[in-house]
Structure formats: structure tokens, C-alpha cells
Amino acid sequence: MTPPQSRETQPPASRIIAQALRSAIESGELRAGAKLPSERALAEQYGTARNTAREAVRLLSEQGLVRAEQGRGVFVREPQRLFRFGSDRYSLKNRESGLTPFRLEAKKQGKTARIDVVSIANEEPPDDVAERLGVPADTASVVHRENHYYADEEPIQIVSTYLKWSEAEGTLLTQPKSGPNGIYGRLEDLGHVMTTIRDEITARMPSPHEATVLRLPPGVPVLEVLHTSFDQVGKAFEVSRYVHRADVTGLKYDLPVQ
């Protein structure tokens, strides 16, 4: 790797170093798993201070290209295959497999899935959830289930599911293990057969809580999917907020054109 040619107007030295290293990674000169030169070596190569080299490595880390290992150095990250989630995650075909959509996706990638039920509480819903479910926002009108999802112990997504308390109270919907076919099985027992869904998708920066749970490197955004399930009479009966790591998650939808 050689330093870029001088120009009249140069970007900061840290960005020059980061771009050179990025180019080496993208070209394959630095392959996945390769160790980056030390900060001292980079500083000597580019004629800068070690702090400048450190900043360059930080920029690469923010871009998800490298990872630091305590006491060992900084290494080029393995390219990650995206977890892809779409409208088929609610299909009967997938449910008949006996695996949740997340477990199916993890299995496709040869990864071990883990789902932690973090909390189940009767509480006041956020305004956007209350509006979609048609319940009051100023009373404890929902049961809120928060689950954290992992693949090979790496956090992938946070899912907050909201159901009407008037329907969930006293049922398995308030328990960690909701029985065969999960919460949708219990909702069908209550007469709600999912026939239509609406997914509202946004990209944003994570909250401090989300960044901690998902172990997000600085600068990595999240994808938020606000999902609403409608039953056979067009009534909204479930709202879930999916918060995905944007660096490891993609969304895929096959929809008819009407």
C-alpha cells in the first residue's frame, strides 16, 4: 500500500489513511482476517502522528470493516451474510415447519439461534402503537413483550410486541412460553386469523438502550419495522416494533402489483 498522491486540497490525514486501507480491503490486498499494520507502523508509513493513525482505524471500525481484539490488534472483518426478513415470515408454510422465521433464517446460515424473553408487562402503549391498535395511550391497555434475538451469540434484533390487554389477560399471551405456533396460534384461538399486514419501515440512529443491546459500533444505524397484523374482518390485533442491526439485516418483500 502506498500513500495517495498529494493534491492542492487534501482531506484530513486520517481520512487519507482510512481510504487507503479501505481500498486495500476492497481489492483483496488485505483479506478477511488479515491483521492491520500497527498504529506506529501506519504513522511511520504516512508520516503522521499515532493519534492520526488511530483515528483512521476508528473510521474503518465505524464503517464495519475492521474489528479490534484486546491484546492482539485490529483485523479485517469477515464479510457478513445478511439476515433477510420479508412478508413470508408470517406464512403458514413457515409456521408448519415448527420453526420461527428467525430460527429458519439462522438455520439457513448454519447459525445457532437464541431468543431471550426479556420482559412481559401490562403497560401504557406508545402513541403510535395505541393509534394502530385502537386502544387508549393513557392507560395500561396493552401487554408488551420484549424479546432479544441472537445468532451464534451475536445480537441481531430487538422485537417489542404489543397486544390488547383486554384479550391477553389471563391467557398464555402473558407467559414466556405461549404454546404451539407461538403468539399467533393463541391469537387464532381468540378468533384473529392474520390475513393482511402493514409494515412501516424507517432507518434511524439507535437509542442508547438499543445500541447497548445490539452491541452496535459507533455510527451504525438501525432499521425499524413497525408491523401491524389485521385479521379476517380487517381489525388490527397485534403491533410489533422490530429494531434490526442495519449492518447485518436486509428486508425482502415480494408483493403483487395491483
Side-chain angles (χ1 to χ4, degrees), residues 105-121:
E105 183 66 17
K107 184 178 179 181
K108 289 178 186 176
Q109 299 193 26
K111 296 178 182 290
T112 300
R114 190 181 98 230
I115 303 172
D116 291 349
V117 181
V118 177
S119 64
I120 302 174

Side-chain angles (χ1 to χ4, degrees), residues 65-193:
L65 294 175
V66 300
R67 55 181 170 76
E69 294 188 10
Q70 188 71 28
R72 295 191 61 219
V74 180
F75 298 84
V76 178
R77 287 178 64 103
E78 298 280 346
Q80 298 209 44
R81 179 178 167 188
L82 290 180
F83 280 73
R84 293 195 179 275
F85 302 104
S87 53
D88 64 342
R89 67 186 182 274
Y90 303 107
S91 69
L92 289 175
K93 179 180 178 182
N94 281 348
R95 285 172 55 186
E96 288 168 357
S97 72
L99 296 174
T100 64
F102 183 80
R103 292 189 188 279
L104 276 173
E105 183 66 17
K107 184 178 179 181
K108 289 178 186 176
Q109 299 193 26
K111 296 178 182 290
T112 300
R114 190 181 98 230
I115 303 172
D116 291 349
V117 181
V118 177
S119 64
I120 302 174
N122 175 211
E123 60 188 37
E124 296 178 5
D127 289 342
D128 54 358
V129 171
E131 178 185 353
R132 285 154 183 78
L133 275 181
V135 296
D138 56 355
T139 63
S141 57
V142 298
V143 58
H144 172 203
R145 302 172 61 99
E146 181 172 328
N147 293 351
H148 297 172
Y149 291 69
Y150 300 81
D152 285 352
E153 301 304 315
E154 181 179 20
I156 304 296
Q157 63 183 16
I158 301 168
V159 181
S160 295
T161 296
Y162 299 89
L163 308 169
K164 296 176 183 179
W165 180 248
S166 60
E167 296 184 330
E169 184 180 10
T171 73
L172 289 175
L173 292 170
T174 62
Q175 301 300 315
K177 294 187 180 296
S178 52
N181 293 320
I183 65 169
Y184 293 117
R186 304 295 68 72
L187 289 163
E188 286 182 4
D189 294 341
L190 294 172
H192 299 299
V193 178

Side-chain angles (χ1 to χ4, degrees), residues 9 39 50 255 258:
T9 303
E39 292 173 3
R50 286 186 63 178
L255 303 171
Q258 299 178 340

Side-chain angles (χ1 to χ4, degrees), residues 170-228:
T171 73
L172 289 175
L173 292 170
T174 62
Q175 301 300 315
K177 294 187 180 296
S178 52
N181 293 320
I183 65 169
Y184 293 117
R186 304 295 68 72
L187 289 163
E188 286 182 4
D189 294 341
L190 294 172
H192 299 299
V193 178
M194 187 191 304
T195 56
T196 307
I197 67 170
R198 178 188 298 139
D199 283 355
E200 302 169 69
I201 303 165
T202 55
R204 58 174 174 79
M205 297 309 295
S207 69
H209 169 69
E210 292 164 345
T212 298
V213 171
L214 295 174
R215 302 177 203 157
L216 287 170
V220 174
V222 294
L223 292 174
E224 178 181 305
V225 179
L226 186 61
H227 163 86
T228 306

Side-chain angles (χ1 to χ4, degrees), residues 3-50:
Q5 297 297 314
S6 296
R7 299 176 183 174
E8 288 187 5
T9 303
Q10 288 275 28
S14 58
R15 293 192 177 275
I16 294 175
I17 299 172
Q19 182 55 49
L21 291 169
R22 183 186 180 99
S23 297
I25 292 169
E26 292 175 344
S27 70
E29 182 182 345
L30 282 173
R31 297 184 179 276
K35 185 177 181 180
L36 262 61
S38 67
E39 292 173 3
R40 183 186 299 277
L42 287 171
E44 290 177 355
Q45 180 179 355
Y46 289 95
T48 65
R50 286 186 63 178

